[in-house]
Amino acid sequence: MARMKFICDAERCIECNGCVTACKSEHEVPWGVNRRRLVTVNDGKPGERSISVACMHCTDAPCMAVCPVDCFYKTEEGVVLHDKDLCVGCGYCFYACPFGAPQFPQAGAFGLRGKMDKCTFCAGGPEENASAEEYRKYGRNRLAEGKLPACAEMCSTKALLAGDAEVLTKIYKTRVVTRGKGDEIWGWSMAYGGSGMLADQPGGKA
Amino acid sequence: MKTIMTAAAALAAAFWLGGCTEIAQEPGKSYAGKEDAKPYAGDQFKGDKAKWEVALAERSQKQDDYRPHSAADKK
């Protein structure tokens, strides 16, 4: 088994929040914690795009590097998980994460932070698979049931894909080739708009 | 004076070359928490990793809406 990854196709995402709702519902995530959320650019304007963002299960995860109590681990499948029994809720991982994935439930008055909570790729955590304890702390372990994350499986337009990186790459490649974007499949103009000419890019010379 | 200059140059060269040393990029930290069970260790797959991988691969392929649909999908 290779690396488990998410990919969100901005050309397909319709900002329905189905993935957010599926995640919330599947794991009974507490109020104020959003393991997954939608980010929209150019809202209400031509060129509006949305993507669904959660923990991206980084290959070299910065949260793992900064954790002072070493509560993070990576599974054989490349899923980044953590032990809530060890987490002290310091928030270092939140500052390190480029995606804002770590979430902290309010644990009392004056903004006290609880233990960190994040997307588990529906793989539970370090408790017995499918146990009540695992569900209470980390949510449902769909991976142990041979299923993919609920957010991706719930996505109505199949904008959000989850699974083995190799498989996702093939699916996405087929899509892009079928759409017929030609040379604009990758690169500056696809990512940031504009002509894609080197001269039009910041620092580019005519 | 020449000896001092030579020694200083040798020292500077040593420091300069030391900068080329490849430092391990892995954090090298150990996980301090509880051991997690494998996803295929439960009742459903009974430790059969291959069966679990096949189940997951089939599930992954269902995300591809350009793939030719089999008769089993239509049921």
Side-chain angles (χ1 to χ4, degrees), chain A residues 120-182:
Chain A
T120 63
F121 207 87
C122 287
E127 295 289 344
E128 189 188 339
N129 285 349
S131 65
E133 194 68 0
E134 185 183 49
Y135 186 79
R136 187 177 69 80
K137 289 181 189 171
Y138 308 101
R140 195 170 152 197
N141 192 341
R142 289 172 60 90
L143 231 55
E145 298 169 16
K147 296 172 183 171
L148 291 170
C151 51
E153 296 214 309
M154 190 68 79
C155 184
S156 56
T157 60
K158 288 281 161 273
L160 184 63
L161 304 172
D164 183 1
E166 293 288 326
V167 177
L168 298 191
T169 308
K170 282 177 188 156
I171 294 173
Y172 194 69
K173 189 179 174 185
T174 310
R175 276 186 194 183
V176 173
V177 171
T178 310
R179 281 181 203 150
K181 285 280 185 182

Side-chain angles (χ1 to χ4, degrees), chain A residues 20-81:
Chain A
V20 177
T21 310
C23 178
K24 276 265 188 189
S25 171
E26 189 76 348
H27 307 297
E28 292 184 20
V29 181
W31 179 256
V33 173
N34 288 298
R35 290 184 179 184
R36 179 165 287 285
R37 65 194 186 284
L38 278 166
V39 175
T40 303
V41 293
N42 295 330
D43 201 0
K45 296 173 192 163
E48 179 182 327
R49 291 286 184 278
S50 298
I51 54 162
S52 179
V53 182
C55 173
M56 300 300 277
H57 301 278
C58 303
T59 304
D60 185 9
C63 54
M64 291 179 81
V66 299
C67 180
V69 292
D70 290 348
C71 75
F72 287 92
Y73 65 102
K74 188 174 277 198
T75 68
E76 272 178 25
E77 301 79 41
V79 179
V80 178
L81 298 173

Side-chain angles (χ1 to χ4, degrees), chain A residues 24 29-37 63-64 66-69 71-72 82-84 86-97 99-119 137:
Chain A
K24 276 265 188 189
V29 181
W31 179 256
V33 173
N34 288 298
R35 290 184 179 184
R36 179 165 287 285
R37 65 194 186 284
C63 54
M64 291 179 81
V66 299
C67 180
V69 292
C71 75
F72 287 92
H82 71 296
D83 187 344
K84 279 194 180 180
L86 217 58
C87 176
V88 291
C90 67
Y92 282 15
C93 52
F94 178 77
Y95 290 110
C97 178
F99 304 103
Q103 301 280 300
F104 295 89
Q106 195 174 346
F110 311 114
L112 282 173
R113 278 191 297 240
K115 291 172 187 295
M116 191 274 278
D117 189 274
K118 74 169 191 74
C119 161
K137 289 181 189 171

